[in-house]
Amino acid sequence: MSNSKGRFGVHGGQYIPETLMNAVIELEEAYNHYKDDPAFNKELTELFNEYAGRPSRLYYAEKMTEDLGGAKIYLKREDLNHTGSHKINNVLGQALLAKKMGKTRLIAETGAGQHGVATATAAALLGMDCVVFMGEEDTKRQALNVYRMRLLGSEVIPVKSGTATLKDAVSEAMREWTSRIDDTHYCLGSVMGPHPFPTIVRDFQSVISREIKQQILEKENRLPDVVMACVGGGSNAIGTFYHFIEDKDVKLIGCEAAGRGIDTFETAATVNTGRLGIFHGMKSYFCQDEYGQIAPVYSISAGLDYPGIGPEHAWLHDIGRADYVPVTDEQAVNAFEYLSRTEGIIPAIESAHAVAHAMEIAPKYSKDKIIVITISGRGDKDCAAIARYRGEDINE
């Protein structure tokens, strides 16, 4: 999909200060060495299976299917992984790689806190130090995850600069990495940043689509018609799409956080509202103001309010291989409640964006069609925020 310089069409690349160049070159060389190493892959597969609980279930959502009256709906249950989301897939891979490289310390950025929790978990398991940067605003929205990270032995640093959300946490983590390259690995949580991160994260997350393909063939004896996932930076979505990219009959849909609507300034729907730019070491689409400055973005979901999108997604959009649709807060909250009441599954508010769009399109398909939705995480972390959104007085 990309050439050796980590380009996806015009997107990707390495737009980074000279101080970081050695670190990314070292990382790329180590990754190229270990990705095909049987011993490394055996160790990682054991961690996936024995520790993270893979393969995750592909669940037929019978009640939801009946209620919507259209396509058969399957849910890829990444919410059942250890730590409660897809984030553990990439983190176990990167932490193991960092350990092989002789690093003793992991740093990470986090929005909703799930990537931070996963990184803190892997660091505890592998005996490494861990520091997580989290926007101050997000530490309030996701106080439970802050406690979980500290409980796991990680230091959590609230980032007060900018909008005090995910993009600022990324900036701070990159700044920290430049000063501690010798013993530290930056465990980036999404398919973004400078090459080789978008490729590394995609490869570790592609276990999702590899399993979906195998599982749906066993259950239905054919491939699905639609595969869909929520998109912020885009790691669960690219993991969901990757092994289907060559299957042209499978429609790929990414569901972006439209916040209060794509016609407002309070949105994080990058593909629908953004323009080409360079930020956080990569060329891709970003939400920008008229002067090309990165715009503040908004979503009820702390995990989707990033002002850009991974370069491979930008490329899939450019070539028309994947569709990226906006989903508002209100639609996502409705879907959060709907899946909880219909299937007894409380999804992360991020994942609920994909559920919302499925609720819209499933009735338009005939009953012999199949839709797979990746439930990227579980929604315990969001219950207090959604209750407040609905006007309920709740103490966390």
Side-chain angles (χ1 to χ4, degrees):
M1 301 301 155
S2 65
N3 65 24
S4 59
K5 285 290 166 218
R7 290 280 180 184
F8 302 89
V10 300
H11 307 283
Q14 292 173 317
Y15 298 87
I16 49 174
E18 205 55 47
T19 44
L20 271 186
M21 213 60 210
N22 285 343
V24 296
I25 289 169
E26 180 195 18
L27 178 61
E28 184 178 11
E29 285 172 354
Y31 181 65
N32 286 337
H33 172 75
Y34 283 110
K35 70 176 180 183
D36 299 318
D37 177 51
F40 178 85
N41 284 311
K42 181 172 183 284
E43 205 172 333
L44 182 58
T45 302
E46 277 173 11
L47 282 174
F48 276 176
N49 297 352
E50 299 301 320
Y51 189 69
R54 303 208 69 87
S56 67
R57 298 280 178 269
L58 186 68
Y59 168 74
Y60 172 45
E62 190 174 356
K63 284 184 69 189
M64 183 177 175
T65 299
E66 274 176 29
D67 185 63
L68 295 173
K72 284 181 90 164
I73 295 170
Y74 281 89
L75 307 178
K76 182 59 171 161
R77 300 288 309 275
E78 292 298 297
D79 57 313
L80 296 178
N81 294 341
H82 180 43
T83 70
S85 83
H86 72 291
K87 292 293 187 184
I88 195 76
N89 305 330
N90 163 52
V91 167
L92 287 173
Q94 281 200 54
L96 195 58
L97 182 62
K99 188 126 184 162
K100 302 279 188 206
M101 290 167 71
K103 307 293 183 188
T104 56
R105 182 171 176 263
L106 296 177
I107 58 171
E109 85 296 333
T110 199
Q114 291 301 95
H115 175 59
V117 169
T119 307
T121 299
L125 178 69
L126 297 175
M128 302 172 85
D129 293 335
C130 182
V131 178
V132 179
F133 295 89
M134 189 173 188
E136 189 176 40
E137 186 60 32
D138 292 337
T139 61
K140 294 171 191 163
R141 288 200 279 191
Q142 301 290 349
L144 174 65
N145 276 341
V146 175
Y147 175 73
R148 289 168 79 197
M149 288 181 264
R150 289 181 173 144
L151 178 65
L152 289 157
S154 174
E155 183 184 353
V156 181
I157 299 179
V159 178
K160 297 178 169 66
S161 58
T163 52
T165 56
L166 183 57
K167 80 172 173 66
D168 310 292
V170 174
S171 302
E172 207 53 48
M174 284 192 160
R175 203 168 292 129
E176 167 74 10
W177 196 27
T178 52
S179 65
R180 288 279 298 263
I181 286 165
D182 52 337
D183 69 344
T184 298
H185 171 66
Y186 177 19
C187 189
L188 218 162
S190 197
V191 283
M192 37 161 277
H195 174 69
F197 282 112
T199 301
I200 289 177
V201 179
R202 185 232 21 232
D203 287 353
F204 288 141
Q205 290 294 1
S206 69
V207 65
I208 300 172
S209 51
R210 189 162 64 242
E211 287 178 7
I212 292 174
K213 204 169 207 179
Q214 193 181 339
Q215 290 165 324
I216 201 74
L217 286 171
E218 283 170 11
K219 289 175 185 291
E220 295 282 353
N221 220 10
R222 71 177 188 86
L223 295 181
D225 299 280
V226 180
V227 171
M228 57 198 297
C230 64
V231 178
S235 65
N236 97 89
I238 209 75
T240 301
F241 294 173
Y242 186 64
H243 288 287
F244 291 105
I245 291 173
E246 299 303 315
D247 301 305
K248 300 295 187 229
D249 291 338
V250 179
K251 191 174 176 64
L252 307 177
I253 304 176
C255 303
E256 297 193 302
R260 296 200 170 95
I262 55 172
D263 51 349
T264 73
F265 290 114
E266 292 179 288
T267 187
T270 306
V271 174
N272 286 274
T273 64
R275 318 197 294 279
L276 195 62
I278 293 170
F279 187 53
H280 284 157
M282 62 178 176
K283 183 182 277 192
S284 188
Y285 292 117
F286 297 97
C287 297
Q288 303 170 53
D289 66 16
E290 57 191 309
Y291 306 108
Q293 297 296 313
I294 299 299
V297 291
Y298 162 78
S299 164
I300 193 170
S301 151
L304 299 183
D305 65 351
Y306 181 70
I309 192 167
E312 191 164 4
H313 283 295
W315 175 72
L316 289 173
H317 163 74
D318 286 356
I319 63 172
R321 180 62 192 96
D323 293 337
Y324 295 86
V325 299
V327 176
T328 64
D329 283 1
E330 182 65 22
Q331 290 171 304
V333 171
N334 287 337
F336 177 87
E337 294 168 340
Y338 176 82
L339 191 65
S340 301
R341 289 168 188 166
T342 310
E343 290 287 349
I345 295 169
I346 303 174
I349 190 64
E350 290 80 12
S351 318
H353 285 71
V355 175
H357 189 63
M359 287 163 63
E360 208 173 288
I361 64 169
K364 298 172 185 169
Y365 281 88
S366 59
K367 295 188 176 192
D368 60 338
K369 301 295 185 192
I370 298 168
I371 295 175
V372 177
I373 313 164
T374 292
I375 305 298
S376 55
R378 64 172 189 241
D380 318 42
K381 66 183 178 59
D382 301 305
C383 291
I386 304 302
R388 279 195 295 271
Y389 178 86
R390 286 295 190 217
E392 290 178 37
D393 187 23
I394 186 166
N395 292 317
E396 284 190 72

